[in-house]
Amino acid sequence: MTVGPTGASQPTRTGPCVVIAGGGTAGHIEPALALADAVMRLRPDARVVALGTERGLEKTIVPARGYPLEMIPPVPMPRKPNVDLLKLPLKVRSAVKTTREVLERVGADVVVGFGGYVALPAYLAARGRVPIVVHDSNAKVGLANKVGARFAERVAVAVDDSGLPSAEIIGIPLRESIINLDRAALRAKAREFFGLDPHAPTLLVFGGSQGARSINNAVSGAARQLADAGIGVLHAHGPKNTLAVQSVPGAPPYVAVPYLERMDLAYAAADAALCRCGAMTVAEVSAVGLPAVYVPLPIGNGEQALNARPVVNNGGAFLVDDADLTPAKVAELVIPMLTDPRRLASMSTAAQGTGHREAADVLARMVLDAAHKGVS
């Protein structure tokens, strides 16, 4: 046995050491951890080490999933020219030096980046020393991955027209618990878990980990119309928000919760979803076969709408601008969809048809191949 970076005992390995760089947000962390799980399925003798920073969600998520985490200085890219931009070269130099020391200490055989401010120093530290594989989940590629792709062994993307040269379209790596989710088998348990009607068509509503006020207001404003149509609702409104919906006697419950710890059960309980359309959200909702109403985040570079577009074009979802999401629009789209079983089934099939359920294993094979070339 050897002692790993976190102080925990690690089995002596004979396989490759894979270093994943995907910190900051869940959109970077979850694909990285899905890859880590796939690597360990294919090569149980391998070792996976994650890079992260003190400010990212990986600080708690990665250790909870059983992987050692090495901390490096963050290199956030300023959105506007300011004094932070002048400090950037010094910050990059410091982060690259620390990251290079980590790669040498853990014996990295390959570095896999998923974008964000953890990936950039990882790419620069590994350049010319350790093979690099880049994966980008978004329809619009970020700066870090544009840099990493220039000297990567392999480049993988979720959708076509990413703009990255020589990119291979593989989809987004997803957790096994999502890929293998049997919604029908879990439905009764899931409905009971949340206190939902066991038989009523049910809408799942969420706006990301912090919720979305516009979604909260629009759906809760349509609560009476949904109840009159016999539709139940499971609504995650965000821990910093409150939501009060008056119950309608004899109607399916409208269940409001701050946060969904068990997304697998939430997906199983639902017949359709109304939510934002970050890349991971679209991938998961499509993989489990939920028809959806996607409401892109109204700020940023428009990538959320691009994430949802393939599913919408395939007939598996609707796309509504945030400014157009009113209680009337919710009722107009949701009620006909959820009260027509044939339409639901057709949209479910269309949504699943846009997914790449094998993405984690495909990426793992690419990574292990790059690691093998690096040591051969």
Side-chain angles (χ1 to χ4, degrees):
M1 301 288 284
T2 60
V3 177
T6 60
S9 295
Q10 303 287 334
T12 301
R13 68 176 182 89
T14 57
C17 177
V18 177
V19 175
I20 56 175
T25 66
H28 293 135
I29 300 165
E30 287 298 340
L33 290 176
L35 166 72
D37 292 344
V39 166
M40 297 309 298
R41 287 196 301 272
L42 295 176
R43 286 293 301 270
D45 61 337
R47 182 159 179 252
V48 177
V49 177
L51 299 177
T53 72
E54 291 286 348
R55 66 171 61 180
L57 294 175
E58 66 273 11
K59 185 178 178 181
T60 54
I61 295 176
V62 170
R65 296 276 282 273
Y67 293 103
L69 179 65
E70 291 280 353
M71 294 298 188
I72 63 173
V75 185
M77 295 296 296
R79 293 184 180 273
K80 298 178 181 180
N82 54 28
V83 68
D84 289 333
L85 187 60
L86 299 177
K87 298 177 183 178
L88 189 62
L90 186 61
K91 290 183 177 180
V92 170
R93 194 175 299 116
S94 173
V96 169
K97 180 177 182 293
T98 302
T99 306
R100 191 167 288 158
E101 291 170 353
V102 171
L103 299 183
E104 291 175 355
R105 175 159 44 82
V106 302
D109 294 308
V110 62
V111 169
V112 193
F114 292 82
Y117 51 70
V118 176
L120 182 59
Y123 295 144
L124 297 176
R127 182 183 184 184
R129 299 167 181 253
V130 181
I132 296 169
V133 176
V134 172
H135 181 276
D136 202 292
S137 297
N138 293 302
K140 285 190 176 180
V141 177
L143 176 61
N145 279 350
K146 287 181 179 178
V147 172
R150 294 173 63 183
F151 34 84
E153 181 82 19
R154 304 281 290 274
V155 178
V157 294
V159 296
D160 199 2
D161 298 326
S162 67
L164 289 181
S166 304
E168 302 172 59
I169 304 168
I170 69 166
I172 299 178
L174 299 175
R175 293 168 288 168
E176 272 199 301
S177 60
I178 296 299
I179 294 172
N180 298 326
L181 182 66
D182 188 335
R183 287 172 49 222
L186 273 179
R187 174 159 300 180
K189 174 186 175 182
R191 296 277 178 98
E192 183 180 6
F193 180 86
F194 290 112
L196 294 162
D197 186 289
H199 305 296
T202 298
L203 177 69
L204 170 63
V205 182
F206 59 101
S209 59
Q210 298 303 313
R213 189 170 300 173
S214 57
I215 290 177
N216 291 348
N217 292 341
V219 180
S220 63
R224 183 58 193 248
Q225 291 168 278
L226 296 174
D228 289 344
I231 294 170
V233 180
L234 173 59
H235 188 152
H237 52 74
K240 295 183 179 180
N241 303 316
T242 58
L243 195 67
V245 177
Q246 187 173 0
S247 61
V248 177
Y254 190 120
V255 178
V257 297
Y259 185 73
L260 292 165
E261 293 283 353
R262 292 292 305 272
M263 280 305 298
D264 57 336
L265 292 183
Y267 288 145
D271 295 292
L274 189 152
C275 53
R276 292 293 190 211
C277 39
M280 278 298 297
T281 295
V282 173
E284 289 194 353
V285 170
S286 299
V288 301
L290 278 179
V293 177
Y294 288 121
V295 186
L297 195 68
I299 60 175
N301 59 6
E303 69 179 27
Q304 285 211 349
L306 294 176
N307 293 334
R309 184 59 63 186
V311 191
V312 174
N313 291 345
N314 206 45
F318 300 104
L319 190 64
V320 180
D321 287 343
D322 191 82
D324 296 333
L325 189 71
T326 62
K329 176 61 73 172
V330 170
E332 174 191 328
L333 293 176
V334 168
I335 292 175
M337 176 172 59
L338 277 171
T339 54
D340 185 343
R342 293 183 64 181
R343 187 177 188 182
L344 272 179
S346 174
M347 290 184 69
S348 175
T349 300
Q352 281 190 309
T354 62
H356 298 262
R357 298 173 67 86
E358 303 299 321
D361 286 344
V362 171
L363 183 59
R365 286 190 286 269
M366 292 169 62
V367 168
L368 292 171
D369 181 61
H372 176 73
K373 289 180 180 179
V375 298
S376 59

